[in-house]
Amino acid sequence: MIPEKKWDKISVKEICSKAEITRGTFYQYFDDIYNLMEEIERPMLEDLERRAVFIKSHIRSHTPPELFEEKFDYTPPETLRQWFRFCKKFRKPMARMLDRKNGDTYFVKRIKVTLTDHINHMMDEDGMPHDALREHFVKIFLELHFLSASTWLTADADDEFLSIKEIINLLNTMRVGASYLSYKRTTNPDFDSLMSLDDAE
């Protein structure tokens, strides 16, 4: 019902009619619409937390920027894999929760906190410095996680949208590119002048 109506505006009466149950049956299990939504979201959030523990147990070798060309691990990290496995497992509810107009913005905020932690963990393993550039990259990378997931979740079977594997590889290209730029900044004295843009641009 969420695509047609904001979730907290859906009444118990509407839910009972749609589910073909009585109001008495509804109240045997839930206090109200908020309690129902909490019961839908709780196992999803718990699953994501379990994935966070799994991600942190899969330690990738830390690569200092100066050793980028020799030792950097280009393979997609577990962070990216687990995010899309999570989205695939909860495909239908995630598509509804991420609905920009009628989804649950509080639920999205809670997921963003966990996902930001995942991304920072990934960047720590990649040896990325904690600087202003990283702060911006984390924010942009986080939004791209949601944008790509939301687009994939709501795509019709006939749409020629990217597969999960292709999306992961695309996001991983950005991750590798950020690490490469960090490496070049460390090793190339002309980096800042080469990367500078005209004021007109």
Side-chain angles (χ1 to χ4, degrees), residues 141-190:
F141 205 52
L142 175 66
E143 292 306 320
L144 284 173
H145 274 64
F146 277 86
L147 179 61
S148 56
S150 182
T151 307
W152 176 77
L153 287 164
T154 55
D156 292 328
D158 297 332
D159 287 350
E160 293 184 9
F161 189 65
L162 300 174
S163 66
I164 290 179
K165 183 178 178 181
E166 290 169 324
I167 297 170
I168 289 173
N169 284 331
L170 185 62
L171 291 173
N172 189 51
T173 299
M174 290 189 63
R175 167 199 155 245
V176 174
S179 294
Y180 179 72
L181 287 178
S182 180
Y183 154 69
K184 295 302 283 186
R185 181 183 286 110
T186 304
T187 59
N188 190 340
D190 299 325

Side-chain angles (χ1 to χ4, degrees), residues 15-157:
I15 292 171
C16 292
S17 175
K18 190 82 170 177
E20 299 181 350
I21 60 172
T22 65
R23 288 169 66 89
T25 300
F26 177 90
Y27 286 115
Q28 280 183 351
Y29 297 95
F30 309 106
D31 298 331
D32 50 32
I33 184 71
Y34 300 98
N35 179 225
L36 169 61
M37 190 61 105
E38 185 181 324
E39 290 301 313
I40 292 171
E41 294 173 351
R42 182 178 44 77
M44 297 170 68
L45 292 168
E46 289 174 353
D47 184 276
L48 197 59
E49 286 300 325
R50 283 193 294 272
R51 290 174 191 275
V53 172
F54 179 79
I55 287 167
K56 290 178 180 178
S57 71
H58 280 65
I59 301 170
R60 293 163 67 97
S61 57
H62 171 76
T63 307
E66 62 272 14
L67 297 177
F68 180 89
E69 291 187 358
E70 296 174 42
K71 297 188 175 180
F72 188 78
D73 187 351
Y74 297 92
T75 59
E78 201 60 40
T79 298
L80 294 178
R81 297 172 190 269
Q82 290 300 325
W83 168 241
F84 283 97
R85 285 176 185 157
F86 169 77
C87 289
K88 186 176 181 180
K89 179 178 178 179
F90 298 102
R91 182 165 189 160
K92 190 171 181 179
M94 277 295 288
R96 302 299 184 258
M97 301 303 177
L98 298 184
D99 186 278
R100 290 185 181 273
K101 184 179 177 184
N102 297 324
D104 185 353
T105 53
Y106 179 64
F107 174 74
V108 172
K109 285 178 183 177
R110 291 176 73 183
I111 286 186
K112 282 187 175 182
V113 169
T114 301
L115 207 52
T116 297
D117 184 52
H118 289 195
I119 293 169
N120 272 306
H121 174 73
M122 175 190 75
M123 295 184 77
D124 285 342
E125 289 192 320
D126 287 344
M128 293 290 287
H130 286 263
D131 55 13
L133 181 61
R134 172 167 170 163
E135 287 181 29
H136 292 294
F137 180 82
V138 169
K139 290 177 183 176
I140 293 169
F141 205 52
L142 175 66
E143 292 306 320
L144 284 173
H145 274 64
F146 277 86
L147 179 61
S148 56
S150 182
T151 307
W152 176 77
L153 287 164
T154 55
D156 292 328

